[in-house]
Amino acid sequence: VVMTALLLGMLGLALLGTLTMLFFRQLKVDLRTLQTRAMDIVNGYRDAPLPISRQDEVGQLMGAINDMASALDTRENELMIERQKYFHQEKMAAIGTLAAGVAHEIGNPIAAIAGIAQEMKERRNAECAGCRPDLIHVQTQRIAAITREISQFASHQTVEAQLLDLNGLLRTTSSLMRYDQRLRRVVLKFNLDDQLPAIYGVADQLTQVIMNLLVNAMDALQDVVDRAPVITIGTRVQGEQVALSIEDNGSGIDSKTLTRVFEAFFTTKAVGHGTGLGLSLCYSIMQKNGGSISLDSTLGAGSCARVLFSTTEAAYKGTNLL
Ligand SMILES: Nc1ncnc2c1ncn2[C@@H]1O[C@H](COP(=O)(O)OP(=O)(O)OP(=O)(O)O)[C@@H](O)[C@H]1O
Ligand SMILES: [Mg+2]
């Protein structure tokens, strides 16, 4: 009996020893896996999470490492989107600055040509009877009007929030965009409330919202052949806010696509024609400026973008879009 008990005891001990050894061996393997994964994450690994093979503290550590990797991934994506949006915004601002520079440079030769034409007209030089200086005059007037519009447009570029005339912003922005080839066939209709109160926001940013919405409407009208392409721009008071609607009778989109339009990088346009950042940027801008934006659309019939602007400083949340 004593022998059996001793044997059993030894067997038990041996079993315990083996189990302990196996436990520590597995622990070593799991800790090494964790260590490798932690290093991989440091080096940029963001793919499938570690399978959680244990219920103990090591298992919890595995879960925590997985959570950390996915949080890092989300944050990195957010940062990338913000960086791209910032670039988009900078690009638009650069266009304004460039336009102002061009307008300024063109201004001087135009003034000179106009002066010469004027003098020719006044002198009525016999030698120049067929020269028609009046035509030079008319054409220079036209160019001068264009540069005036560009200057007006570029003068919106200020980073400070202030009270603004929305109808004025709409007029100058759309008159400049009229020179875009894509708008050539399009009828622009204005339904502006001339009693509109001032809105509060950053002119440069709100101009970008208007430009983005007009470009989207313009793009939606590109393939419309069975009806006259029309964009209707309307403003009115809505409670404490001011409402803007930019409506087109273009291609429209289905309800499934509509749910995604404010996502960064979502686009239905061909590569090189859209980055999918326009509406996402408009959304951030309107949030920061204490307003909101939404889009309605019917496939095959058209779309309407609605923007609500704040009329007071209270809702304004700062210029930083990040
Ligand atoms: N007026 C509209 N009519 C039809 N579809 C629209 C209209 N406005 C937006 N969309 C849809 O929403 C998508 C996202 O618009 P968004 O302005 O964010 O990006 P984009 O125009 O494709 O590219 P980007 O503005 O960056 O050049 C568009 O690709 C289009 O499918
Ligand atoms: Mg767009």
Side-chain angles (χ1 to χ4, degrees):
V1 177
V2 175
M3 277 298 280
T4 319
L6 213 71
L7 218 74
L8 272 177
M10 276 169 67
L11 213 75
L13 263 178
L15 195 71
L16 194 72
T18 317
L19 278 178
T20 316
M21 205 179 76
L22 280 177
F23 173 79
F24 279 108
R25 183 178 294 164
Q26 187 57 43
L27 185 66
K28 209 168 135 188
V29 170
D30 288 341
L31 284 177
R32 191 166 295 152
T33 313
L34 266 175
Q35 191 188 13
T36 315
R37 176 53 59 91
M39 285 312 293
D40 288 349
I41 291 172
V42 170
N43 292 326
Y45 178 90
R46 300 288 181 270
D47 295 336
L50 270 179
I52 299 179
S53 52
R54 314 171 61 111
Q55 301 297 325
D56 57 1
E57 282 77 2
V58 179
Q60 284 174 9
L61 195 59
M62 287 170 160
I65 291 246
N66 285 343
D67 289 349
M68 186 184 79
S70 98
L72 261 176
D73 191 34
T74 312
R75 186 70 202 123
E76 280 169 0
N77 272 332
E78 278 169 8
L79 270 177
M80 201 245 307
I81 291 170
E82 294 307 346
R83 220 174 282 140
Q84 293 278 352
K85 271 192 196 172
Y86 187 68
F87 176 70
H88 197 77
Q89 205 197 356
E90 288 277 281
K91 201 173 85 183
M92 299 246 265
I95 293 170
T97 313
L98 190 76
V102 171
H104 182 258
E105 289 306 301
I106 294 178
N108 292 336
I110 295 173
I113 297 170
I116 296 166
Q118 191 63 32
E119 207 179 309
M120 281 162 82
K121 229 164 100 182
E122 279 162 12
R123 282 196 193 171
R124 294 192 180 277
N125 190 330
E127 259 179 70
C128 204
C131 289
R132 303 289 312 270
D134 54 324
L135 288 187
I136 303 178
H137 197 69
V138 169
Q139 296 309 320
T140 49
Q141 292 301 104
R142 264 184 69 187
I143 304 174
I146 296 172
T147 56
R148 232 182 352 261
E149 278 166 5
I150 296 177
S151 302
Q152 246 170 24
F153 171 81
S155 71
H156 295 153
Q157 304 230 323
T158 151
V159 288
E160 263 163 46
Q162 56 195 20
L163 284 171
L164 303 162
D165 167 22
L166 177 61
N167 290 343
L169 281 185
L170 288 165
R171 283 199 195 94
T172 49
T173 307
S174 54
S175 67
L176 188 70
M177 288 186 65
R178 265 252 151 258
Y179 299 109
D180 191 309
Q181 288 291 330
R182 290 172 292 183
L183 264 184
R184 195 148 272 185
R185 312 163 39 233
V186 178
V187 179
L188 263 187
K189 280 190 187 160
F190 288 91
N191 253 331
L192 307 182
D193 176 352
D194 50 18
Q195 300 294 311
L196 211 61
I199 57 167
Y200 192 83
V202 182
D204 183 24
Q205 293 183 350
L206 300 184
T207 304
Q208 288 186 25
V209 172
I210 298 167
M211 273 172 76
N212 269 303
L213 297 180
L214 283 174
V215 170
N216 280 352
M218 223 151 71
D219 283 345
L221 289 166
Q222 282 314 288
D223 299 325
V224 169
V225 283
D226 61 341
R227 52 188 180 261
V230 181
I231 297 178
T232 312
I233 303 175
T235 54
R236 63 190 172 82
V237 177
Q238 186 172 319
E240 297 282 286
Q241 290 174 300
V242 162
L244 160 71
S245 58
I246 297 187
E247 194 175 358
D248 64 72
N249 61 348
S251 57
I253 41 174
D254 60 47
S255 53
K256 194 158 164 273
T257 312
L258 187 60
T259 59
R260 303 197 54 197
V261 293
F262 289 101
E263 275 174 35
F265 301 116
F266 177 80
T267 181
T268 56
K269 294 171 192 172
V271 179
H273 287 272
T275 61
L277 278 175
L279 286 180
S280 154
L281 184 68
C282 292
Y283 188 87
S284 312
I285 291 178
M286 290 321 299
Q287 273 211 323
K288 285 286 179 175
N289 284 272
S292 61
I293 178 168
S294 61
L295 186 75
D296 289 335
S297 192
T298 309
L299 187 62
S303 311
C304 182
R306 293 174 211 281
V307 190
L308 285 176
F309 297 92
S310 165
T311 50
T312 62
E313 192 179 341
Y316 179 68
K317 297 190 190 77
T319 43
N320 185 7
L321 292 180
L322 304 183

